Amino acid sequence: MGKFIRLKKGFTINLKGKAAPKVVEIEQPETFVIKPTDFQGLYIPKPVVNVGDTVKAGSPLFHDKKHGNVIYTSPVSGEVVEVKRGEKRKLLEIKILADKKIEHVQFKKYSVSEIANLPVADVKGQLLNSGIWPSLIQRPYGVIADPADTPKAIHISAFDSHPLAPDYNILFKGQDQYFQIGVDVLKKLTSGAVHINTHASNEISTVFSQVKNAEVNKFSGQHPVGCVGVQIHHLDPINKGDIVWTINPLGVIQIGKLFANGIYDASRIVALVGSEVKNPQYYKTYTGASVKKFIENNLNNDHVRVISGNPLTGTTIGKEGYVGYFDHQISILPEGDYYEFIGWITPGARKVSFHRSLGLFSFLSPNKERVVDTNTHGEPRAFVQTGVFEQVTPMDVLPTQLIKSILAEDIDEMEALGIYEVIEEDFALCEFVDVSKHKVQEILRDGLELVRNS
Amino acid sequence: MNFLRNQLDKVKHSFEKGGKLEKYYYAYEALDTFLFAPNTTNDSKGVQIRDAIDLKRLMMTVIVAMVPCLLFGIWNVGHQHFLAIGQAGATLGDKILVGAIQVLPIVVVSYGVGLGIEFVFAILRKHPVNEGFLVTGMLIPLVMPPDIPLWQVAVATAFADAARYSIVASRCCYGFCGGNWKGSIWRYRNERSEYCTYGTSIFIFCLSN
């Protein structure tokens, strides 16, 4: 029987431009890209393809120099047209010109009863070779899971509470069978339970509610209730030495299709959202798609920021960019590079603020959808205000002290303050509400790398 | 607004690196950010949107919270003055006028000296002018006795402000005098020939340490 957990702290940002509940299929983008920079914990990516090579969906593109058994594969079939490198020959992306009809590498198929008797080594081997293994993220540190580990649990968040996040009921509709097979496979990898954490008030899709062999828990509250780190903290906190794996429902479905049909199916539904989009809706496409075709003739104005992911944890990719491996949405926001006359005191109900400060009245209408641009609204300063990070972090960690201990590079203090339990997305809201405009997520990642490599 | 913006943009190049007035850049920047909220946007990684609050607005909220206290203090100084001289029938306007004449110079001196030191240190140390003094500049007059000589307000503010940058200065002063403070800086004789201290002076001394 799953748990029901009600969270009091947090702040849900309501932005204009949520996706309409319809899935549209348009002409597919010509190029797709896999970016090694999307994967945290990737030591040095070594490409195994050259420009001009032909690949199929599921063919290896690169692997990690340190963990050679984790293979990163192509989402589509076609020809490799670019292997882009940056400074010091750092591998930035591998671009593939896709075929009209996708061909797949054939992996071994299993029936449901065969999966139940499959040895763990075979399961891991299939996942590693297919390119689905990078979907498994380990806590602590938020890096790609190590195949040598056995986690104490696997957690799946069945909803997303980030601003403008897509509705998982639409993203994964009709995939019940594959989700169940995926959960059965994941159960073999852990010594504990597979947890599926759903939202208490929304209508839960049968994909998640009817699943067997897993614990279904319910959560209610404001963002970041949808963040899997917060859910793990309240169900079964991570102590020093514990390892927990997390995976997105899409990853689970891909595992199900891999074992049932023997193919790596990188197809996904992506939501195009934001106040600057004329028709925000869902599109059928594949992992690593170019955003050009989706935003063509679909923008209200040209001076916009195109973000792969949500506005709190996403990355700016530009109008010619590509959707990240882990992202289910493309957010388009207006750029905020304008001067505002005495903007630091002018009152306004249109500006979004968590604080009830002089002139900011957005707290009076919290459910109203607002347009927010990318202006920093101030300059970086030293820490001045205390207690505000704690109001938006529904976890038993002290975020301000943790960030300060990372800046001081005090590893013992970081461990005592709970650095093992958090990754960037758990602290994204702290970065949003910060008066002193710190780069909290960047500081946290530095701290995590410091502890991981110590 | 456009006129102001254009004027600021015109002179900006002489304050930037390689310009004639390069060392006064942060003074220019303080004026620029006072008149216009900056046009900087968030980085490509991390949050892409931020809360509309910033440190200036936060400090203004604190100042606005202290304004009723200041207004009451101004009225009270006038009220006590007229009580002391035995004139019970003074009007509200009279009381406020007397209070204002006594208190507002302290506010002006506190902000003036404090902001002057902030600008000097910002130029010397090459960092932005911090908004912290907006609140301290209001707090200092609120804790001072109303009849304090203005030069003492100036010295106390200078120590409280400069001590943030130079702990050595305040330590030196303590060292030189050996902790034994004498003379009319720290105490005075009132009409009944009793020794009274300026409690605020002690407070500022403690603050600066």
Side-chain angles (χ1 to χ4, degrees):
Chain A
M1 187 61 205
K3 291 187 185 162
F4 179 38
I5 292 166
R6 214 176 259 119
L7 299 179
K8 294 197 192 88
K9 293 183 190 171
F11 180 60
T12 303
I13 304 168
N14 275 312
L15 296 184
K16 213 169 175 185
K18 285 202 177 70
K22 55 179 177 149
V23 184
V24 163
E25 206 163 343
I26 61 168
E27 193 192 343
Q28 282 304 320
E30 284 154 7
T31 48
F32 293 78
V33 144
I34 294 290
K35 298 178 248 184
T37 46
D38 282 345
F39 304 101
Q40 209 59 247
L42 189 51
Y43 180 58
I44 294 175
K46 297 220 66 115
V48 296
V49 292
N50 297 310
V51 174
D53 288 355
T54 311
V55 292
K56 288 188 186 173
S59 304
L61 289 180
F62 61 92
H63 62 260
D64 189 2
K65 190 174 176 189
K66 218 175 193 178
H67 304 286
N69 50 358
V70 181
I71 315 279
Y72 298 78
T73 60
S74 172
V76 292
S77 60
E79 185 194 338
V80 176
V81 289
E82 191 183 355
V83 175
K84 190 172 172 187
R85 290 187 184 269
E87 271 182 32
K88 298 185 186 175
R89 286 184 54 79
K90 180 179 172 178
L91 185 64
L92 293 179
E93 54 184 52
I94 296 181
K95 195 184 287 185
I96 302 146
L97 185 68
D99 296 333
K100 289 280 180 262
K101 192 170 177 315
I102 307 295
E103 281 173 34
H104 300 268
V105 169
Q106 197 58 44
F107 297 99
K108 200 156 180 232
K109 277 195 256 192
Y110 299 92
S111 69
V112 176
S113 51
E114 279 175 329
I115 292 169
N117 300 322
L118 209 51
V120 177
D122 288 0
V123 171
K124 284 186 178 175
Q126 175 104 320
L127 290 173
L128 288 164
N129 291 332
S130 64
I132 299 178
W133 188 268
S135 303
L136 283 163
I137 306 292
Q138 167 204 307
R139 296 284 179 116
Y141 313 128
V143 295
I144 307 292
D146 187 348
D149 292 332
T150 304
K152 72 167 182 175
I154 295 180
H155 287 259
I156 304 161
S157 177
F159 67 104
D160 193 347
S161 56
H162 284 102
L164 299 172
D167 185 354
Y168 277 21
N169 295 341
I170 297 175
L171 289 189
F172 309 121
K173 195 173 174 182
Q175 309 284 350
D176 307 44
Q177 173 203 10
Y178 297 116
F179 191 81
Q180 180 63 62
I181 296 172
V183 167
D184 293 336
V185 169
L186 287 171
K187 187 80 174 75
K188 297 184 84 63
L189 299 177
T190 173
S191 56
V194 174
H195 292 268
I196 297 173
N197 305 319
T198 61
H199 197 286
S201 48
N202 292 349
E203 237 181 66
I204 312 167
S205 162
T206 51
V207 174
F208 306 119
S209 58
Q210 306 285 353
V211 72
K212 298 180 191 54
N213 219 358
E215 268 186 47
V216 179
N217 307 297
K218 289 193 189 189
F219 282 82
S220 76
Q222 307 225 47
H223 179 66
V225 66
C227 289
V228 71
V230 170
Q231 293 164 355
I232 293 170
H233 177 85
H234 287 276
L235 289 171
D236 188 13
I238 301 167
N239 301 309
K240 190 170 179 177
D242 285 344
I243 290 177
V244 167
W245 288 353
T246 67
I247 185 169
N248 189 272
L250 178 69
V252 182
I253 291 165
Q254 286 176 342
I255 293 175
K257 287 181 180 169
L258 174 69
F259 281 80
N261 303 338
I263 55 165
Y264 169 44
D265 185 357
S267 65
R268 60 167 66 195
I269 297 174
V270 167
L272 181 68
V273 292
S275 54
E276 302 309 294
V277 180
K278 281 186 193 157
N279 297 313
Q281 58 196 356
Y282 296 84
Y283 294 91
K284 267 195 190 164
T285 183
Y286 296 88
T287 303
S290 162
V291 299
K292 212 163 150 191
K293 285 225 157 80
F294 302 125
I295 63 178
E296 221 164 29
N297 301 325
N298 205 0
L299 298 179
N300 287 331
N301 86 79
D302 266 336
H303 196 48
V304 294
R305 180 177 289 209
V306 181
I307 301 159
S308 169
N310 62 72
L312 289 182
T313 61
T315 315
T316 304
I317 53 173
K319 291 186 191 145
E320 315 265 313
Y322 294 84
V323 184
Y325 182 89
F326 295 103
D327 297 326
H328 300 273
Q329 66 186 93
I330 308 159
S331 312
I332 316 273
L333 301 175
E335 278 286 15
D337 55 350
Y338 54 84
Y339 288 101
E340 197 184 342
F341 182 59
I342 50 169
W344 49 274
I345 195 62
T346 41
R350 277 182 298 164
K351 297 182 181 178
V352 171
S353 177
F354 171 73
H355 304 259
R356 299 181 183 195
S357 186
L358 189 69
L360 294 174
F361 304 115
S362 63
F363 69 93
L364 292 170
S365 48
N367 296 325
K368 186 177 168 189
E369 287 178 1
R370 290 181 166 83
V371 177
V372 181
D373 57 44
T374 57
N375 196 297
T376 52
H377 298 294
E379 297 173 297
R381 291 281 184 266
F383 277 106
V384 170
Q385 205 179 17
T386 50
V388 77
F389 284 5
E390 285 75 10
Q391 290 173 34
V392 295
T393 311
M395 295 168 78
D396 200 15
V397 297
L398 297 170
T400 323
Q401 280 77 2
L402 179 55
I403 297 300
K404 286 182 180 178
S405 66
I406 295 171
L407 291 168
E409 296 188 1
D410 186 345
I411 295 179
D412 291 327
E413 189 76 6
M414 285 186 230
E415 288 183 355
L417 287 165
I419 198 168
Y420 291 127
E421 298 205 63
V422 294
I423 63 168
E424 293 98 313
E425 64 169 15
D426 303 317
F427 275 15
L429 208 45
C430 294
E431 192 173 350
F432 173 80
V433 300
D434 188 14
V435 177
S436 307
K437 313 295 171 188
H438 288 107
K439 293 182 189 173
V440 173
Q441 289 181 81
E442 190 182 300
I443 295 168
L444 181 61
R445 179 43 59 185
D446 290 342
L448 287 166
E449 291 305 303
L450 193 64
V451 177
R452 191 163 76 95
N453 297 324
S454 65
Chain B
M1 313 326 153
N2 278 331
F3 169 73
L4 271 171
R5 186 69 246 153
N6 291 338
Q7 295 304 312
L8 282 165
D9 287 339
K10 249 197 246 179
V11 295
K12 190 173 187 177
H13 66 93
S14 48
F15 290 98
E16 280 172 338
K17 261 198 166 54
K20 262 195 305 182
L21 303 166
E22 187 187 327
K23 61 177 180 164
Y24 300 107
Y25 172 71
Y26 286 108
Y28 163 82
E29 194 234 17
L31 179 65
D32 189 4
T33 51
F34 176 79
L35 286 172
F36 291 93
N39 68 344
T40 45
T41 51
N42 291 305
D43 282 351
S44 55
K45 284 214 88 162
V47 285
Q48 310 289 313
I49 56 173
R50 281 194 188 263
D51 199 302
I53 198 169
D54 79 315
L55 210 53
K56 284 189 177 69
R57 196 183 283 265
L58 185 79
M59 296 303 175
M60 280 309 298
T61 312
V62 181
I63 290 172
V64 164
M66 288 194 286
V67 159
C69 177
L70 185 74
L71 292 175
F72 172 76
I74 289 173
W75 172 86
N76 192 45
V77 166
H79 180 69
Q80 298 301 329
H81 166 80
F82 285 110
L83 277 181
I85 63 173
Q87 227 174 305
T91 62
L92 179 72
D94 286 336
K95 288 179 184 172
I96 291 177
L97 189 67
V98 168
I101 290 170
Q102 193 64 34
V103 173
L104 288 181
I106 301 177
V107 176
V108 167
V109 165
S110 161
Y111 268 108
V113 169
L115 286 174
I117 292 190
E118 284 281 349
F119 271 78
V120 163
F121 274 91
I123 290 164
L124 286 177
R125 295 261 175 127
K126 298 188 183 2
H127 65 66
V129 176
N130 280 318
E131 290 87 351
F133 194 76
L134 291 176
V135 170
T136 320
M138 178 66 92
L139 275 177
I140 289 174
L142 286 176
V143 300
M144 294 280 180
D147 57 349
I148 193 166
L150 290 179
W151 69 267
Q152 285 196 21
V153 177
V155 167
T157 310
F159 262 100
D161 205 8
R164 292 197 295 116
Y165 299 101
S166 151
I167 301 178
V168 174
S170 57
R171 292 272 178 261
C172 275
C173 292
Y174 189 88
F176 283 145
C177 301
N180 221 5
W181 298 92
K182 287 204 173 64
S184 62
I185 302 176
W186 304 105
R187 55 185 185 177
Y188 61 95
R189 298 185 76 138
N190 66 7
E191 50 283 1
R192 290 195 291 268
S193 285
E194 290 161 340
Y195 277 110
C196 309
T197 52
Y198 284 119
T200 318
S201 311
I202 310 284
F203 174 65
I204 298 298
F205 170 71
C206 293
L207 257 188
S208 67
N209 275 290

